[in-house]
Amino acid sequence: MSQLKMTIDRTNEISKINKEIYGHFAEHLGRCIYGGIYVGENSPIPNINGYRKDVVEALKALKVPVLRWPGGCFADTYHWMDGIGKPEERRKIVNTNWGGVTEDNSFGTHEFLDFCELIGCDAYVSLNLGSGTVREAAEWVEYMTSSNVSPMTDLRKKNGREEPWKVKYIGIGNESWGCGGGMSPDYYMDLYKQFQQFIGHGGKIACGPNAADYNWTDTLMRRSYGYFQMKGLSLHYYTIPTGDWGKKGSSVDFSKDEYYSTLANTWYMEELLKRHGATMDKYDIDKKVGLVVDEWGIWTDVIDGTNPGFLYQQNSMRDAIIAAINLDLFNEHSDRVKMANIAQMVNVLQAVVLTEGERMVKTPTYHVFDMYKDHMESTLVYSHIENKQLLENKYLPAVSQSVSVDESGKLHLTISNASLEEDFDIDCVLPRSGFKSATARILTAPYTTCNTFDNPEAVEPKAFDGVTLDGESLKFTLPKCSVLAIELC
Ligand code: AHR
């Protein structure tokens, strides 16, 4: 067992960790919305106005801060008027992106925004730039948010909602370089400017780059220099275990080597945050425009026998480590990263909950979000660890960590150990700290362990009493393949 030396300086405050970094994404894709979030009022599955009760309770406990909807690629095919009015009269369409299935539009604007109110989160609505019109987009925003007298607010009232909803963020297109229209950055920027002109909203998020497309970021920032009409610029990056989109790798059956290469691929997020951040700094040194990582997570092959267009995968202890690394990176870069949205909330990709009929499981990723939630709205403080590399030919630090102090003065340390071979003795010094007590929770299991419907608690956080706090010294053993959350008071 090696010893790793660590320093935490609570007096060195770095940036506020926006709660939106712990955001989610829900698309009309597979069983995310239908079956996962929404089953309809007449379902035998216990529900509140059609929303699954078990899922609502699980999400409320996580304190989900913001939810992005309706896509994803689906957003650029979505015509919002199809999803309002009496459900039985709504247009049925084909979900051309995801499995070619019938979309009956029974979950539309009202259902989404009421759901956000029910679980207590802010709404982030992605407008259709790819196949919609400026008028359609502007009218949707008016329908949702205006309290004036207008044809759209009249229509909203006729459909049963008197007061406008609060919609904090509006996305202008999704992956406009790909499924959102195959655009160049200059062409997108022309359209963005046109749309933003007619959309009266202060929380506009421009469609940002695909992974390492720094030219996209540069073009958008340069062309809006001096007059930033955007609150944020998005970034999408998925962890593909093999690095090969054609054969991504399994979510349940993978070797140690693949475990490590997956985590190395996840750490690539650090380079993306640094380089896109530096590109944005060229034009926006005051960091007025947030980097919004509104799709991230592991993307594997689907579970055998499921619809390939539904992107249903399992979630293991490997996913927990992936979530910990990404959340620590977002915290570390919270001077620029203002929001992040895991893809996706339920039953799709790196989901926090999975459902099957009446049953629901909380995934290992859910538990990491739960263990990290105290970072929301806290202040990131300086921390450093003498890390160890796990691979010879690829960057893969064994440990990731972040430390914040909340409003009441409590310190929150989250730390993960990706090694499958070695526990680490962490020897941490906290100068000028004055904390008196420590409590901790740990998440650990063999690396392929999943929570299944028959064994839903295989990976669960447990109380951890191995932390010793003695004046300015904090010591603990960090087990292999684990995530630990420590609170100091
Ligand atoms: O999250 C699944 C898909 O991944 C989204 O629809 C799209 O934006 C991205 O390519």
Side-chain angles (χ1 to χ4, degrees), residues 353-394:
V353 294
L354 300 175
T355 67
E356 188 181 79
E358 283 212 344
R359 300 193 289 178
M360 183 202 83
V361 290
K362 294 174 178 169
T363 65
T365 299
Y366 177 97
H367 295 303
V368 172
F369 270 72
D370 190 48
M371 292 166 71
Y372 274 57
K373 69 185 176 201
D374 288 322
H375 285 309
M376 289 196 260
E377 300 293 293
S378 294
T379 302
L380 180 79
V381 298
Y382 174 86
S383 67
H384 176 73
I385 193 152
E386 283 171 8
N387 222 322
K388 183 170 177 183
Q389 287 301 315
L390 294 179
L391 296 179
E392 275 175 16
N393 56 353
K394 244 184 154 183

Side-chain angles (χ1 to χ4, degrees), residues 161 209 259 332 448 477 488:
R161 175 78 185 199
Y259 164 89
E332 188 187 337
T448 54
T477 299
L488 302 185

Side-chain angles (χ1 to χ4, degrees), residues 26-29 32-40 48-52 56 67-71 74 78-80 82-88 90-91 93 103-116 118 140 345:
E27 179 167 11
H28 287 242
L29 193 178
C32 182
I33 301 289
Y34 301 112
I37 291 173
Y38 192 68
V39 286
I48 309 162
N49 301 330
Y51 309 105
R52 288 184 74 116
V56 166
L67 178 58
R68 176 175 183 250
W69 172 87
F74 181 77
Y78 185 60
H79 299 284
W80 69 275
D82 293 349
I84 56 169
K86 290 191 186 133
E88 61 280 9
R90 296 184 191 176
R91 284 179 73 200
I93 59 162
E103 162 62 61
D104 71 2
N105 277 306
S106 55
F107 190 97
T109 302
H110 289 247
E111 290 75 18
F112 170 66
L113 295 172
D114 289 350
F115 177 63
C116 290
L118 182 64
W140 194 9
M345 189 175 236

Side-chain angles (χ1 to χ4, degrees), residues 3-165:
Q3 192 189 60
L4 299 179
K5 292 220 173 283
M6 184 177 176
T7 309
I8 295 174
D9 183 357
R10 68 169 289 190
T11 63
N12 188 347
E13 298 186 346
I14 295 170
S15 50
K16 186 174 147 232
I17 299 173
N18 252 16
K19 64 178 183 202
E20 276 96 347
I21 282 179
Y22 291 81
H24 293 246
F25 168 43
E27 179 167 11
H28 287 242
L29 193 178
R31 295 185 301 110
C32 182
I33 301 289
Y34 301 112
I37 291 173
Y38 192 68
V39 286
E41 287 175 3
N42 299 326
S43 170
I45 296 173
N47 67 82
I48 309 162
N49 301 330
Y51 309 105
R52 288 184 74 116
K53 206 162 174 291
D54 49 2
V55 171
V56 166
E57 280 163 10
L59 297 174
K60 271 184 163 176
L62 273 194
K63 299 191 178 156
V64 171
V66 64
L67 178 58
R68 176 175 183 250
W69 172 87
C73 298
F74 181 77
D76 281 296
T77 61
Y78 185 60
H79 299 284
W80 69 275
M81 287 230 185
D82 293 349
I84 56 169
K86 290 191 186 133
E88 61 280 9
E89 289 172 10
R90 296 184 191 176
R91 284 179 73 200
K92 292 186 175 47
I93 59 162
V94 179
N95 189 333
T96 49
N97 280 293
W98 305 118
V101 293
T102 300
E103 162 62 61
D104 71 2
N105 277 306
S106 55
F107 190 97
T109 302
H110 289 247
E111 290 75 18
F112 170 66
L113 295 172
D114 289 350
F115 177 63
C116 290
E117 288 185 345
L118 182 64
I119 65 168
C121 73
D122 282 315
Y124 171 8
V125 173
S126 276
L127 305 183
N128 179 348
L129 175 107
S131 69
T133 63
V134 178
R135 176 176 176 174
E136 182 186 11
E139 287 187 341
W140 194 9
V141 175
E142 186 181 313
Y143 184 92
M144 294 186 286
T145 63
S146 174
S147 49
N148 288 334
V149 175
S150 81
M152 288 305 114
T153 56
D154 283 350
L155 185 58
R156 183 187 72 223
K157 289 174 191 171
K158 191 174 141 237
N159 287 331
R161 175 78 185 199
E162 196 64 26
E163 296 299 320
W165 291 275

Side-chain angles (χ1 to χ4, degrees), residues 25 27 29 68 71-74 97-98 174-175 177 179 236 238 245 295 299 311 343-344 348-349:
F25 168 43
E27 179 167 11
L29 193 178
R68 176 175 183 250
C73 298
F74 181 77
N97 280 293
W98 305 118
N174 169 75
E175 297 195 351
W177 34 263
C179 66
H236 289 184
Y238 285 99
W245 281 90
E295 288 187 30
W299 189 328
L311 311 187
Q344 299 194 6
V348 170
L349 302 178

